[in-house]
Amino acid sequence: MTTMKDLRTLEVWFVTGSQHLYGPEALAKVAEHSQVIAQSLDKNSAIPVNVVFKPVMTGPDAIRSLCKEANNSENCIGLILWMHTFSPAKMWIAGLSLLTKPFVHLHTQFNQHLPWNTIDMDFMNLNQAAHGDREFGFITARLRLARKVVVGFWQDADVISELAAWTRAAVGWNESQNLKVARFSDNMREVAVTDGDKVAAQARLGYSVSAYGIGDLVAVMNQVTDADVDKLVAEYRETYSIAEVHDRADSIKVAAKIELGMRAFLEAGNFGAFTDNFEDLHGMKQLPGIATQRLMASGYGFGGEGDWKTAALVRTMKVMAQGLTGGTSFMEDYTYSFGDSPIILGSHMLEICPSITTEKPSLEVHPLGIGGKEDPVRLVFTATSGPAVVASLVDMGNRFRMIVNEVNVIPPAEALPKLPVARAVWLPQPSLKVAAAAWIYAGGAHHTSYSQALNFEHLEDFAEIAGIELLRIGKDTTIEQFRKELRWNETSYWMNSTSGH
């Protein structure tokens, strides 16, 4: 069972700018070229949504109508804009000022090479994106519009890759605009970074966050039938390895009942993400472990201890990553190894998504020295090695800030026979010393969204669309330059802020 929507039901509109000055024959050629490019992009498997050709824009009325149409289309998640010829940019002002969907500016040319022996002024007038896109670039800069600029021949691999990354960011933005987050109980008491301004989050990022008492969840759990519990327990036994010492039937049944209840609650409320809090489990026998892990595996976002920002980010990143290799999970920077090559052991008490491993998880039952409840059931495994990112979204009071650290996931140096939780071991770029210091200077949370499927470009494009601050910690990061960036950003946001967030 999955909460994911088929991305091929979504659309990016391919829109080309020109003008009537060149006559009907040239405009027909512009439309023909644009259709070829749109169809090529639509057929490219790297782009996960439909690319839909729209008529060539030659005047302000048509552009304004198109932008209104895009705003009102549930399936349209953004636009690819390209100026095949010169397209006077004043005619784009009214439409772009109304546009609420994100757009990417594609700076390309239909022909890859110049036809040196036959080139004439007709060719020059028709193929002058070098001219038209600069005019369009000015007006988007003048209007201070968020956008990505992609430059190159439209069939080149790097151009396709950049468009695909932006498209996934647009998918994530579309999800964020429609996302509902359920909080079972409130934030963990006295914790700062996991709390924040939910009104500002909805105004800036679109998603809504609603709190429910644990009693509301328990009431749904109590409606779960024994037959459904037995069916899910059988699925557990078929899907996971279970050692005899962990084959505790009563505990596993309780865990299955929790999962069924939580899933029913989330489905009924059309939620895409949720949080819980081990400080408030009244009426529950266990802290949700395997339930949360399996819900994440089916697409839900999650944040521990009431961390609704991370829950929303995990869900958004899962949707963005749909169809890519590698998983996405709630994560926490848990503990370090300070040695010749310092590393981070990432984990959480129970709730790491099995999408980040290629091994068969082990279903285990262990005591949990927190929460005061019965021993919870959880899945234990180690994350697959390879490149990944960890991202944190924090509320800085006057804005939201996303911090992204690029990491390399490695196998544990030794077996972990006494660690009863799922985990990932990674080398943060450029080093633990620099990465941890930069993270702390930036105010990054201990909770993150961890993804093997997405990279920095995906999150950079999302942050640009969302209009939020973004900080990168990668192979070239130095503390001196990073702290300067923090100071510059602080000054910039205060100077340009008209209200909170």
Side-chain angles (χ1 to χ4, degrees):
M1 185 180 298
T2 179
T3 64
M4 295 299 191
K5 183 178 182 180
D6 181 4
L7 297 187
R8 293 298 289 185
T9 64
L10 303 176
E11 299 173 351
V12 167
W13 292 359
F14 191 90
V15 181
T16 307
S18 187
Q19 60 177 330
H20 286 291
L21 178 66
Y22 302 108
E25 184 177 341
L27 287 176
K29 187 61 71 174
V30 167
E32 177 187 330
H33 291 173
S34 299
Q35 284 180 296
V36 170
I37 296 176
Q39 290 170 3
S40 177
L41 295 176
D42 183 56
K43 293 177 181 177
N44 195 298
S45 60
I47 297 177
V49 304
N50 292 314
V51 178
V52 178
F53 166 79
K54 288 293 178 176
V56 176
M57 296 291 106
T58 56
D61 292 341
I63 293 170
R64 186 168 52 246
S65 295
L66 176 88
C67 291
K68 287 181 178 180
E69 182 186 357
N71 291 344
N72 293 328
S73 171
E74 291 187 6
N75 293 332
C76 176
I77 62 167
L79 288 71
I80 300 173
L81 302 180
W82 170 48
M83 305 302 114
H84 190 309
T85 67
F86 188 70
S87 180
K90 286 177 65 176
M91 71 185 192
W92 287 87
I93 294 175
L96 292 178
S97 298
L98 293 172
L99 185 65
T100 59
K101 299 292 174 76
F103 70 91
V104 58
H105 182 185
L106 175 60
H107 183 43
T108 191
Q109 207 166 257
F110 183 72
N111 56 297
Q112 186 174 19
H113 302 291
L114 289 176
W116 297 103
N117 294 326
T118 61
I119 189 170
D120 56 17
M121 284 309 301
D122 287 339
F123 182 94
M124 296 280 277
N125 285 331
L126 181 65
N127 297 283
Q128 56 171 319
H131 185 186
D133 277 330
R134 281 172 168 77
E135 167 76 354
F136 185 74
F138 165 74
I139 205 61
T140 54
R142 176 67 175 78
L143 296 175
R144 274 66 171 182
L145 298 177
R147 79 280 192 205
K148 180 178 186 175
V149 178
V150 177
V151 179
F153 184 56
W154 51 276
Q155 289 181 317
D156 285 350
D158 61 335
V159 170
I160 298 298
S161 177
E162 291 176 48
L163 288 174
W166 176 85
T167 300
R168 289 188 176 277
V171 166
W173 181 245
N174 180 70
E175 173 64 22
S176 187
Q177 302 310 289
N178 298 285
L179 178 59
K180 295 173 61 180
V181 182
R183 300 178 79 197
F184 297 119
S185 184
D186 200 354
N187 191 61
M188 184 179 174
R189 291 184 280 278
E190 304 299 340
V191 177
V193 75
T194 54
D195 214 337
D197 189 335
K198 295 186 288 293
V199 173
Q202 187 166 357
R204 168 59 62 187
L205 296 161
Y207 57 78
S208 63
V209 183
S210 300
Y212 296 88
I214 294 299
D216 295 327
L217 173 58
V218 172
V220 177
M221 287 168 46
N222 289 339
Q223 297 174 16
V224 174
T225 67
D226 291 341
D228 286 338
V229 169
D230 291 342
K231 182 178 178 181
L232 184 54
V233 168
E235 182 179 331
Y236 288 173
R237 294 187 179 281
E238 181 180 349
T239 307
Y240 313 113
S241 60
I242 308 175
E244 185 176 353
V245 68
H246 298 296
D247 197 351
R248 295 163 53 177
D250 289 345
S251 296
I252 296 173
K253 284 185 177 181
V254 169
K257 185 174 183 178
I258 293 172
E259 178 182 340
L260 290 166
M262 293 180 78
R263 195 178 291 276
F265 189 102
L266 296 171
E267 288 178 352
N270 195 30
F271 294 103
F274 68 101
T275 72
D276 60 27
N277 186 348
F278 65 81
E279 289 184 325
D280 192 353
L281 297 171
H282 183 73
M284 299 184 70
K285 293 184 178 181
Q286 298 177 15
L287 177 64
I290 189 174
T292 298
Q293 292 177 291
R294 284 171 51 85
L295 285 165
M296 268 194 287
S298 63
Y300 286 99
F302 172 77
E305 295 97 52
D307 188 351
W308 50 271
K309 294 189 297 298
T310 301
L313 183 59
V314 171
R315 168 63 181 181
T316 301
M317 289 173 63
K318 278 183 173 289
V319 172
M320 289 169 61
Q322 189 172 342
L324 297 177
T325 301
T328 299
S329 177
F330 172 67
M331 187 59 74
E332 179 173 278
D333 294 66
Y334 220 107
T335 190
Y336 297 145
S337 175
F338 282 121
D340 293 337
S341 184
I343 59 175
I344 295 175
L345 173 61
S347 186
H348 204 252
M349 292 183 299
L350 301 170
E351 309 97 341
I352 302 298
C353 180
S355 67
I356 66 172
T357 189
T358 54
E359 67 183 45
K360 186 176 184 178
S362 171
L363 186 152
E364 300 183 15
V365 185
H366 297 273
L368 184 67
I370 196 167
K373 295 293 181 177
E374 295 178 2
D375 299 348
V377 180
R378 81 292 303 271
L379 299 175
V380 178
F381 53 85
T382 299
T384 303
S385 297
V389 292
V390 288
S392 171
L393 184 66
V394 294
D395 185 345
M396 296 302 293
N398 67 332
R399 65 191 184 278
F400 289 99
R401 168 183 286 171
M402 182 184 288
I403 307 108
V404 180
N405 189 192
E406 296 164 298
V407 306
N408 295 315
V409 183
I410 60 175
E414 300 180 27
L416 299 162
K418 293 187 177 182
L419 186 62
V421 289
R423 57 268 174 160
V425 179
W426 66 79
L427 292 158
Q429 294 188 29
S431 67
L432 175 56
K433 185 176 182 67
V434 173
W439 194 272
I440 291 169
Y441 275 124
H446 52 288
H447 290 165
T448 61
S449 179
Y450 164 103
S451 182
Q452 304 156 331
L454 301 178
N455 57 38
F456 177 77
E457 185 180 8
H458 294 103
L459 298 175
E460 180 182 36
D461 290 348
F462 177 83
E464 177 71 18
I465 292 170
I468 60 175
E469 182 186 8
L470 177 68
L471 293 165
R472 180 183 196 171
I473 305 172
K475 62 182 178 63
D476 298 322
T477 298
T478 66
I479 292 301
E480 178 184 17
Q481 190 64 30
F482 192 81
R483 295 192 71 186
K484 287 180 181 178
E485 186 177 352
L486 287 172
R487 288 191 288 269
W488 296 334
N489 287 4
E490 191 69 30
T491 301
S492 175
Y493 276 92
W494 276 113
M495 290 178 63
N496 290 287
S497 177
T498 56
S499 63
H501 295 87

